Amino acid sequence: MVSPGPFGVGTRLGPYRIEELIGFGASAIVFRSVRERGGEIVALKFFRGDLSDDPTFRRRFEHEVRSAQEVQHRHL
């Protein structure tokens, strides 16, 4: 499991407040979070620090971001 590091339930990060751990894997941990102004619910994903310099991992992450941005559905 990836360590959440300094982050956990109740942590404030910029405009977001972390509310719940929703998933984790070998490379990342994901929290359900809320934008404090407006109440928008978002997922914040934190990756292992050692992966930030891996060009293959960075390309996969960037692809994941672009793919997620293309999803348009009223229930998401």
Side-chain angles (χ1 to χ4, degrees), residues 34-53:
V34 173
R35 182 181 211 108
E36 298 217 317
R37 290 187 181 163
E40 175 187 17
I41 297 172
V42 300
L44 295 181
K45 188 171 189 176
F46 298 91
F47 293 99
R48 285 190 352 223
D50 62 317
L51 294 174
S52 64
D53 292 329

Side-chain angles (χ1 to χ4, degrees), residues 24-37:
F24 61 88
S27 63
I29 189 164
V30 182
F31 292 98
R32 177 185 185 273
S33 305
V34 173
R35 182 181 211 108
E36 298 217 317
R37 290 187 181 163

